[in-house]
C-alpha cells in the first residue's frame, strides 16, 4: 500500500445510515482479505495499523498470548493493548501480564475491570450457577464498553481452537448486539497451528505463561479452568463438562458466541 494512503475510518460520519456503514466495512474487509491472503501475521498487523484509524489489541496474557504480543511489539510498541482483569484470574496470570508487558516494551497497556461486580456478584459465586452471566459481567460488557468508538481490534484467535473458529479469516466484520457501529476484527494468527505458535515462542525465546508447564494449554479464570490431560483438546479445560466454548467477547454473524454452537 502506498505510504500516503490515508487511514480509513468509515464510521466517523454518524449521520450515515447503518447499512452504509456496514457496507463500507464489509468492502474493506473483503479487500484486505484478498490483498493479504498470501501474507503472514506481521503484514496483517502492519496493514491493520496503517488502515484502521482507532485500533487496539485485546489480550488475555494467557497460554499463547506472548506470540501475538511479540509480533505486535515488532510492528509498534505503541499499539494500545487491553487486558481484562476479571478479578478471578490466576495470580500467575497477573504477574505474567506485568512482567511480559515490561519485557516486550508495551507502552500502552490498559487494564479493564467491571464496575458492576460488587452489585451483581458480591459473594463471587455467580460462575457456579450461570457461567454466561458471569462472563458477561466480568469480561464481555467491560470489553464492549472499552471498544466503543473503536474501528477495529486485534485478537489472538486461531482456526484450530474450536469449531466456531474453523473458518476464521484475517479480517472479519463484527456487528455488536447493542446496535453500535460495525468494527473490523483482525486475526493475524488465524491460520497458525499449535506447532506454529510453539515454534515461534521457542525460536524467539519468549517466556511462557507459568501454568502451561502445569498442564494448562488454555488459560482463563481460575474457577472455570482446569488442567488438560494428554490427548485432550487444548481447550477441554475451559468450562469443562459444559457445551460452552467461548466467554462471549466474540461475535459470529452479529451474535455473541456463548455456547458450543458451530458456525
Amino acid at each position: 500500500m502506498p505510504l500516503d494512503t490515508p487511514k480509513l475510518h468509515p464510521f466517523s460520519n454518524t449521520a450515515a445510515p447503518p447499512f452504509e456503514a456496514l457496507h463500507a466495512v464489509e468492502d474493506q474487509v473483503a479487500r484486505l482479505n484478498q490483498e493479504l491472503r498470501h501474507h503472514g501475521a506481521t503484514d496483517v498487523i502492519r496493514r491493520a495499523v496503517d488502515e484502521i484509524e482507532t485500533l487496539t489489541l485485546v489480550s488475555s496474557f494467557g497460554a499463547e498470548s506472548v506470540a501475538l504480543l511479540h509480533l505486535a511489539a515488532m510492528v509498534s510498541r505503541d499499539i494500545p493493548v487491553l487486558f481484562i482483569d476479571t478479578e478471578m484470574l490466576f495470580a500467575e496470570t497477573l504477574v505474567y501480564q506485568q512482567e511480559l508487558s515490561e519485557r516486550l516494551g508495551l507502552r500502552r497497556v490498559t487494564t479493564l475491570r467491571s464496575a458492576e461486580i460488587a452489585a451483581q456478584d458480591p459473594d463471587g459465586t455467580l460462575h457456579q450457577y450461570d457461567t454466561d452471566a458471569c462472563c458477561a459481567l466480568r469480561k464481555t460488557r467491560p470489553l464492549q464498553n472499552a471498544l466503543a468508538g473503536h474501528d477495529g481490534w486485534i485478537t489472538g484467535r486461531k482456526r484450530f481452537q474450536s469449531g466456531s473458529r474453523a473458518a476464521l479469516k484475517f479480517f472479519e466484520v463484527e456487528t455488536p448486539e447493542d446496535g453500535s457501529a460495525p468494527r473490523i476484527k483482525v486475526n493475524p494468527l488465524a491460520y497458525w497451528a499449535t506447532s506454529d505458535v510453539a515454534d515461534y515462542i521457542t525460536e524467539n525465546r519468549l517466556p511462557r505463561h507459568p501454568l502451561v508447564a502445569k498442564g494448562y494449554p488454555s488459560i482463563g479464570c481460575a474457577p472455570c479452568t482446569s488442567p488438560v490431560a494428554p490427548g485432550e483438546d487444548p481447550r477441554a479445560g475451559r468450562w469443562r463438562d459444559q457445551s460452552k466454548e467461548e466467554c462471549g467477547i466474540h461475535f459470529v454473524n452479529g451474535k455473541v458466541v456463548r455456547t458450543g454452537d458451530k458456525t
Side-chain angles (χ1 to χ4, degrees):
M1 184 178 66
L3 295 178
D4 58 352
T5 299
K7 292 183 179 181
L8 303 181
H9 41 99
F11 320 125
S12 59
N13 181 4
T14 56
F19 71 88
E20 291 188 7
L22 179 59
H23 183 66
V25 74
E26 286 176 340
D27 286 348
Q28 186 179 6
V29 162
R31 175 178 57 79
L32 288 169
N33 280 323
Q34 174 65 21
E35 293 177 356
L36 294 171
R37 64 191 185 280
H38 299 308
H39 289 246
T42 303
D43 288 339
V44 171
I45 296 172
R46 186 175 293 113
R47 181 66 69 87
V49 170
D50 287 344
E51 289 210 18
I52 302 174
E53 181 69 19
T54 52
L55 178 71
T56 189
L57 186 154
V58 176
S59 178
S60 66
F61 285 81
E64 298 178 336
S65 298
V66 64
L68 177 61
L69 290 167
H70 182 258
L71 286 163
M74 289 195 300
V75 173
S76 172
R77 292 179 178 176
D78 289 316
I79 295 176
V81 176
L82 297 179
F83 167 64
I84 308 171
D85 180 3
T86 65
E87 300 188 39
M88 283 194 167
L89 299 176
F90 289 94
E92 290 90 339
T93 298
L94 299 176
V95 173
Y96 184 63
Q97 183 269 316
Q98 295 178 346
E99 293 179 347
L100 188 56
S101 296
E102 182 177 351
R103 174 162 176 168
L104 297 180
L106 303 174
R107 300 187 181 111
R108 301 176 64 187
V109 179
T110 299
T111 298
L112 306 177
R113 297 184 182 89
S114 172
E116 306 172 86
I117 293 175
Q120 298 191 26
D121 189 18
D123 58 359
T125 61
L126 182 58
H127 68 278
Q128 296 177 6
Y129 55 88
D130 194 337
T131 54
D132 284 345
C134 187
C135 288
L137 169 66
R138 296 173 178 273
K139 196 167 186 179
T140 309
R141 289 202 295 272
L143 178 60
Q144 292 307 313
N145 290 337
L147 288 176
H150 283 77
D151 295 328
W153 58 299
I154 301 171
T155 88
R157 296 193 306 158
K158 308 165 194 69
R159 287 187 167 202
F160 72 82
Q161 289 174 324
S162 69
S164 62
R165 301 180 181 186
L168 204 62
K169 294 183 178 181
F170 284 140
F171 298 88
E172 299 176 280
V173 178
E174 177 177 84
T175 53
E177 284 188 329
D178 62 6
S180 57
R183 291 186 288 263
I184 296 177
K185 188 185 296 184
V186 187
N187 309 302
L189 308 184
Y191 300 94
W192 283 34
T194 302
S195 58
D196 295 325
V197 178
D199 290 346
Y200 185 88
I201 292 173
T202 299
E203 290 169 4
N204 289 280
R205 299 181 180 180
L206 300 175
R208 298 298 301 264
H209 191 297
L211 290 179
V212 171
K214 297 181 180 181
Y216 292 82
S218 180
I219 303 165
C221 292
C224 298
T225 307
S226 60
V228 173
E232 279 192 300
D233 183 277
R235 288 176 66 86
R238 304 290 295 276
W239 307 286
R240 188 175 288 280
D241 300 323
Q242 299 183 45
S243 61
K244 186 179 175 72
E245 284 187 357
E246 301 272 3
C247 59
I249 67 171
H250 298 291
F251 292 78
V252 175
N253 296 328
K255 297 180 180 180
V256 175
V257 178
R258 292 195 179 96
T259 67
D261 295 341
K262 308 302 182 185
T263 59

